[in-house]
């Protein structure tokens, strides 16, 4: 059994060689072996490390049962949540949403406090039947909290007392107002596992419910994540691509490459890149000596920030996700003279792949270290693998640079200021 993705570290060789990566891993052998045992970080946040803890067969059955109920009653599911708590499912839904036109449309809310954006959500729903899924590990977060209140008012106006049938909440089982509200008012409740932090929650009911409602086969996705877990945990540390990637990026950082950009070529993978950004940014961004994660969508960004990458300051490394959605689209002949006849009859996909090869080599040749994850086309199996792979990798990377992989205390600062202003 092998991973579907292949990590290619060859094109960082001008700055960091494969031998250096291996040496560095072996120098930190104990740290990585301990990380394989999940010995670092708060004891009460390690639930994600074993997929089966929160996505076992009985939990999957429960999630699918709730998903079926929602799909039966609603044309639209509004998912109310923010940050790590919703980006995983957003990535999966955006990747596959055109494959399941008969499933409810998923609309995202509660991730900002713009009244205009909220109004647009109501407008977008229009006359369609609707259900909501409120996600909050800590229900004090004002963005989802307030959005939930606005939606209760909206649902009551549309459905009267029966609105409760259309509300699912994913919250902590203990010490959380959401659970109390669910018990008191009769909302459907799914657990936001106590021992899993927001950005580690994709492979739990939190991430899997919206995916299931959108028609994604969560059994396949989870099964693949499980297999990835087994594989990654059984590989020798210096052969483990997640460990090699974690070390490679940090060795590049020490050589002056302070920004790492994930690069995608399929717009439907943009939200996966945003999930990756969330994982690395919120996990590692707690000390001065850490990588700033970013992402680009090419071709679009080649005509914008691509100029900077090509000739601007050399402090950017790129991590290419070589992952394409194959089609049968062929470039037709044209009666008009538009100058593109040299492409007649070519598969459209080939042009995108040429952009990939062209930008990769242009950047590499001009001194940008380029890492690459070569993947087959996106499927549930691939996504399951990618989720577990990058969760494992970010955990390895955070341990390697000695930051707590699970907290995000800095986020509280804006909240404290905001509460002061609001309570004046
Ligand atoms: O990773 C995290 O823990 C955060 O990004 C949270 O998910 C985010 O702040 C939202 O928190 P909550 O679900 O408690 O509203």
């Amino acid at each position: 059994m092998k991973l579907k993705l292949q990590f290619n570290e060859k094109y960082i060789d001008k700055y960091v060689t494969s031998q250096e990566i291996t040496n560095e891993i072996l120098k930190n052998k104990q740290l990585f072996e301990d990380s394989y045992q999940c010995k670092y970080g708060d004891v009460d946040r390690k639930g994600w490390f074993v997929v089966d803890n929160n996505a076992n067969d009985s939990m999957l059955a429960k999630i699918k049962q709730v998903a079926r109920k929602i799909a039966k009653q609603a044309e639209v599911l509004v998912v109310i949540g923010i940050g790590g708590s919703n980006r995983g499912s957003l990535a999966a839904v955006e990747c596959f949403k055109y494959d399941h036109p008969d499933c409810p449309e998923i609309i995202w809310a509660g991730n900002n406090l713009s009244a205009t954006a909220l109004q647009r959500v109501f407008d977008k729903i229009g006359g369609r039947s609707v259900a909501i899924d409120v996600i909050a590990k800590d229900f004090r977060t004002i963005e989802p909290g307030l959005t939930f209140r606005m939606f209760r008012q909206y649902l009551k106006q549309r459905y009267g007392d029966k609105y409760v049938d259309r509300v699912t909440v994913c919250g902590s089982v203990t010490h959380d107002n959401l659970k109390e509200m669910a018990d008191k008012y009769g909302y459907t409740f799914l657990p936001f596992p106590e021992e899993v932090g927001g950005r580690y929650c994709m492979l739990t009911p939190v991430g899997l419910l919206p995916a299931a409602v959108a028609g994604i086969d969560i059994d396949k996705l989870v099964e693949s994540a499980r297999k990835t877990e087994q594989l990654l945990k059984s590989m020798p540390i210096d052969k483990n691509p997640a460990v090699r990637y974690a070390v490679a990026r940090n060795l590049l950082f020490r050589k002056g490459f302070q920004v790492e950009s994930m690069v995608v070529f399929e717009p439907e993978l943009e939200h996966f890149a945003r999930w990756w950004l969330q994982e690395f940014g919120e996990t590692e961004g707690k000390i001065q000596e850490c990588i700033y994660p970013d992402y680009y969508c090419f071709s679009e960004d080649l005509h914008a920030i691509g100029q900077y990458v090509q000739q601007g300051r050399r402090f950017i490394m790129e991590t290419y996700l070589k992952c394409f959605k194959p089609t049968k689209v062929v470039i037709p002949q044209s009666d008009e003279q538009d100058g593109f006849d040299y492409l007649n009859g070519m598969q459209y996909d080939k042009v995108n792949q040429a952009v990939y090869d062209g930008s990769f080599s242009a950047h590499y040749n001009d001194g940008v270290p380029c890492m690459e994850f070569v993947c087959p086309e996106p499927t549930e199996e691939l996504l399951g693998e990618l989720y577990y792979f990058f969760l494992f990798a970010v955990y390895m990377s955070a341990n390697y640079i000695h930051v707590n992989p699970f907290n995000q205390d800095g986020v509280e600062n804006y909240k404290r200021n905001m509460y002061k202003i609001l309570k004046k």
Side-chain angles (χ1 to χ4, degrees), residues 45 81-86 135-145 170 192 196-201 206 278-279 282-283 406-408 411-412 415:
R45 284 288 177 273
I82 193 165
S85 305
N86 80 351
I135 294 169
K137 169 115 195 141
D138 168 7
F139 188 55
R140 284 168 305 178
T141 309
I142 197 165
E143 289 86 352
C170 268
F192 197 135
V196 181
R199 63 189 170 279
Y200 289 83
C201 73
V206 184
Q278 168 94 34
E279 297 307 308
E282 209 177 34
T283 300
F406 302 137
N407 65 354
Q408 61 277 334
V411 179
E412 296 307 312
K415 293 187 189 171

Side-chain angles (χ1 to χ4, degrees), residues 7-18 21 248 252 257 316-320 322 356-357 359-374:
F7 176 51
N8 184 0
E9 63 199 33
K10 192 165 160 229
Y11 296 99
I12 59 173
D13 58 347
K14 289 180 198 160
Y15 304 98
V16 173
T17 63
S18 286
I21 299 171
L252 285 167
F257 298 97
I316 299 169
M317 55 178 134
E318 291 181 314
T319 298
Y320 283 73
K322 189 170 193 177
Y356 184 100
D357 294 339
S359 53
F360 189 101
S361 58
H363 293 178
Y364 170 72
N365 289 334
D366 257 357
V368 178
C370 296
M371 293 178 278
E372 194 179 31
F373 285 100
V374 181

Side-chain angles (χ1 to χ4, degrees), residues 136-326:
K137 169 115 195 141
D138 168 7
F139 188 55
R140 284 168 305 178
T141 309
I142 197 165
E143 289 86 352
L146 206 53
T147 307
F148 183 23
R149 178 185 279 210
M150 302 305 281
F151 263 90
R152 286 199 303 278
Q153 182 196 41
Y154 167 85
L155 289 175
K156 279 181 201 168
Q157 277 163 5
R158 282 191 65 178
Y159 300 106
D161 287 348
K162 289 214 168 99
Y163 89 96
V164 294
D165 286 344
R166 294 171 179 270
V167 180
T168 302
V169 298
C170 268
S172 300
V173 177
T174 56
H175 69 263
D176 188 30
N177 212 13
L178 256 191
K179 169 81 172 113
E180 282 167 28
M181 286 178 81
D183 291 345
K184 194 161 170 192
Y185 304 113
Y187 310 142
T188 302
F189 180 82
L190 284 174
F192 197 135
E194 296 297 320
E195 72 293 355
V196 181
R199 63 189 170 279
Y200 289 83
C201 73
M202 180 55 208
L203 300 164
T204 76
V206 184
L208 295 171
L209 178 68
V213 174
I216 293 168
D217 188 331
I218 60 170
D219 290 327
K220 283 188 186 161
L221 190 145
V222 167
E223 184 51 27
S224 173
R226 261 189 216 131
K227 284 186 185 149
T228 308
E229 176 194 337
Q230 285 159 17
L231 276 172
L232 291 178
K233 289 180 178 173
S234 61
M235 286 177 178
I237 48 170
D238 59 324
K239 304 269 179 317
N240 188 319
V243 177
R244 295 192 74 81
Y245 166 61
V247 169
R249 61 195 292 280
N250 283 297
L251 289 180
L252 285 167
F253 176 82
R254 290 186 208 157
K255 300 262 163 98
F257 298 97
Q258 293 151 356
V259 174
E260 179 188 5
S261 260
M262 173 166 274
V263 188
V264 295
F265 287 72
E266 290 287 354
E268 289 171 18
L269 287 171
E270 176 172 354
H271 282 278
F272 182 79
R274 283 174 65 77
W275 173 79
W276 168 91
L277 188 151
Q278 168 94 34
E279 297 307 308
F280 283 88
E282 209 177 34
T283 300
E284 296 193 321
K286 298 160 195 169
I287 53 172
Q288 292 300 307
E289 296 300 301
C290 69
I291 297 164
Y292 177 84
D294 195 4
Y295 75 90
Y296 309 142
C297 288
F298 289 173
S299 292
E300 168 73 23
D301 287 327
L302 280 172
H303 295 256
I305 198 70
Q307 168 58 41
Y308 190 105
V309 179
Q310 193 71 52
Q311 292 181 322
R313 191 172 166 192
R314 283 285 152 265
F315 70 148
I316 299 169
M317 55 178 134
E318 291 181 314
T319 298
Y320 283 73
L321 195 61
K322 189 170 193 177
C323 186
F324 296 98
K325 289 193 154 190

Side-chain angles (χ1 to χ4, degrees), residues 357-398:
D357 294 339
S359 53
F360 189 101
S361 58
H363 293 178
Y364 170 72
N365 289 334
D366 257 357
V368 178
C370 296
M371 293 178 278
E372 194 179 31
F373 285 100
V374 181
C375 305
E377 68 176 283
T379 55
E380 278 95 342
E381 285 89 348
L382 180 72
L383 227 61
E385 178 174 305
L386 289 175
Y387 281 126
Y388 195 85
F389 181 90
F390 282 111
L391 288 176
F392 194 85
V394 74
Y395 182 66
M396 296 293 141
S397 186

